[in-house]
Amino acid sequence: PDLCSARRKGYHGSSGQDHDTRSLQGKGYLSGHATQNPMMHDWNRVLVRNCDGTAFLASADDAWEVDGTPLYFRGRDNALAVVDALLSEHGLDRATEVVISGCSAGGVAAVLLADLLRDRIVAGSRSRSPVFVAALSDSGVFPEWSKPAPTGLLTFPQFEWIHSHVNASGGAPARCLAQGLAWRCLHVGVALPFVTTPVFLVQSAVDSWHVSDPDRSESLGVLATRIREEVLSAVRAPHAAAVDSCFHHCQEWGNIRWGAQSNAAAFQSWYESRRQEWLKRARAPAGVPPSASGVIFEGWPLMHAAEPWVESCYAGQSGHRLWHQALHRLGPSSTTSSSAAEPPQ
C-alpha cells in the first residue's frame, strides 16, 4: 500500500494539477453516450475527486504532521461543500432525480454518505416536485476477514485507523454505530442494512483490487465466497446488487451480463421500480401507510455462479489482467508498510 505522504501531491492526493475540463468518454455511468449509459447519458454529471484517502469520510480539524509534511483529512467536509455549492450555484436545487455514485473508495462513500447527502439535497431543493435520491456503489465492498486472508489476497486495515483518528464516525450510519459496531460501520457490508436511501451495488466477486496473485485460484474462490456472503447478508429491501465473476475493479458498466441483461440494465430496472414505489408513497394521502416494498420478490441480488472467474467475461478482461500484473502497488517490490503515524491507503 501507498502512504498518504507519498500520494499527497499526485492525482490521488491533490486536485492541484487537474485540468479545467475532462473527457468522460468511456466512463460508464458518467458517460454522455447513450450506448454506454442508456439511462443517465443526458443527465447533468458531477465528478467529485477523492483526495484525502478516507473515502470522503473524514472530518479532522487539525492536520497530521508526518516528517514535516501536513496531511489533511477532510473528505466529508469536501463532499458536503460540493453539494452545497451545487445547490446554491449550479442548479442542483431544481433537480427531481439524483444518483449518488462512486467507484472503489467512492463506492464506500456512496453507501455510507447516502442518507447524509440525500438529506442535504432534499433540504436544499426548490423544485416544484419532490426529489428522488438513490445511490450506485461500484466495487465498494471490502470484506471483513475474521482471520488472515489467504495468500494472494489483500486486506485493507485502514478502516479501523480512519474511524479512530480522523473523526469519521459522522460519516457512518448512526443506527449502525448505535449497535456498538464502531469502525466496522465503515464497511459497506456492515453499514448497508442501516441505510434508508435505496442503494444498488455493482460488485465483482473476484475484485482485482483485492488480489495480489491472480494465479492462486483457490484463494480467488475464497474471496468470491466471502464477497458473496457479505453482499447476501447486507442486501435487503430497498437495496439490490449485481455480483459478477469477472476479474475487474470498477469500469465495466454495461459490459458484463446476466443472460441478456447487463449490469447497467439491471440498475435501470431496479431504479425505475424504486422510483415508482417512492412516487406512490409521496402521493399517498396523509395517514395512509405506504405499502410494503416489492424488492424482495424481484430476485435480488443477481449473482454469477461461476468460480473463480469466467474467462473472456468481458472484452477487456485479458488486458486488465496484464495491467494488474504490472501494478507496482501489488508487485514483489512493493514492500512499503504503513507506520503508526499515518494510515495506509
Side-chain angles (χ1 to χ4, degrees):
D2 299 327
L3 295 179
C4 293
S5 54
R7 296 178 59 164
R8 72 180 188 94
K9 289 187 177 181
Y11 175 81
H12 293 290
S14 171
S15 60
Q17 298 182 20
D18 284 7
H19 298 293
D20 292 337
T21 60
R22 179 171 176 175
S23 172
L24 296 178
Q25 172 74 19
K27 295 299 183 182
Y29 40 80
L30 292 177
S31 173
H33 292 264
T35 54
Q36 296 176 8
N37 190 20
M39 177 180 140
M40 298 179 286
H41 67 277
D42 57 352
W43 290 29
N44 296 306
R45 286 150 287 140
V46 179
L47 179 63
V48 185
R49 296 263 279 101
N50 172 32
C51 292
D52 81 334
T54 71
F56 294 102
L57 301 177
S59 179
D61 292 333
D62 300 322
W64 279 71
E65 292 284 341
V66 178
D67 297 329
T69 298
L71 302 176
Y72 298 91
F73 298 102
R74 299 172 182 168
R76 187 166 83 252
D77 301 329
N78 292 341
L80 293 173
V82 167
V83 169
D84 289 345
L86 292 172
L87 286 167
S88 63
E89 302 173 27
H90 299 283
L92 181 60
D93 58 320
R94 297 189 297 276
T96 56
E97 298 179 53
V98 176
V99 172
I100 302 165
S101 64
C103 151
S104 194
V108 176
V111 175
L112 269 67
L113 298 182
D115 289 349
L116 180 64
L117 297 180
R118 179 204 61 198
D119 292 347
R120 198 93 161 196
I121 291 167
V122 170
S125 175
R126 295 189 295 174
S127 171
R128 293 182 178 179
S129 302
V131 55
F132 175 65
V133 181
L136 171 60
S137 172
D138 186 359
S139 304
V141 176
F142 292 81
E144 295 184 284
W145 295 95
S146 59
K147 55 185 179 181
T151 301
L153 302 182
L154 298 171
T155 56
F156 298 85
Q158 57 265 57
F159 290 100
E160 187 171 3
W161 190 97
I162 290 170
H163 178 268
S164 301
H165 292 84
V166 290
N167 190 29
S169 59
R175 292 190 301 127
C176 182
L177 295 172
Q179 298 298 311
L181 297 174
W183 64 270
R184 296 184 60 217
C185 293
L186 304 190
H187 283 273
V188 166
V190 176
L192 184 58
F194 300 96
V195 176
T196 58
T197 302
V199 174
F200 192 94
L201 306 180
V202 177
Q203 180 66 44
S204 168
V206 286
D207 191 320
S208 61
W209 205 245
H210 301 251
V211 178
S212 59
D213 185 353
D215 292 325
R216 292 184 175 271
S217 58
E218 182 176 327
S219 294
L220 291 175
V222 174
L223 174 64
T225 297
R226 186 68 198 91
I227 286 181
R228 288 180 179 130
E229 288 174 347
E230 192 138 328
V231 172
L232 283 168
S233 67
V235 170
R236 61 198 69 171
H239 311 311
V243 181
D244 62 77
S245 295
C246 307
F247 192 66
H248 71 100
H249 182 69
C250 305
Q251 299 183 334
E252 299 308 324
W253 185 247
N255 296 330
I256 296 174
R257 297 182 173 275
W258 291 256
Q261 182 171 231
S262 70
N263 47 17
F267 168 75
Q268 182 171 351
S269 175
W270 167 85
Y271 177 89
E272 291 173 350
S273 294
R274 300 295 74 71
R275 184 170 179 272
Q276 288 303 312
E277 290 175 352
W278 172 82
L279 283 171
K280 290 179 181 179
R281 291 196 299 270
R283 294 168 178 170
V288 177
S291 60
S293 170
V295 180
I296 57 174
F297 305 116
E298 294 176 354
W300 303 111
L302 290 178
M303 291 277 187
H304 277 178
E307 289 189 27
W309 74 48
V310 179
E311 293 292 346
S312 303
C313 189
Y314 62 94
Q317 182 167 259
S318 60
H320 178 77
R321 179 166 178 172
L322 291 173
W323 170 86
H324 179 274
Q325 289 173 335
L327 272 180
H328 175 72
R329 189 181 78 94
L330 305 180
S333 61
S334 184
T335 57
T336 304
S337 62
S338 61
S339 68
E342 60 173 310
Q345 293 299 289

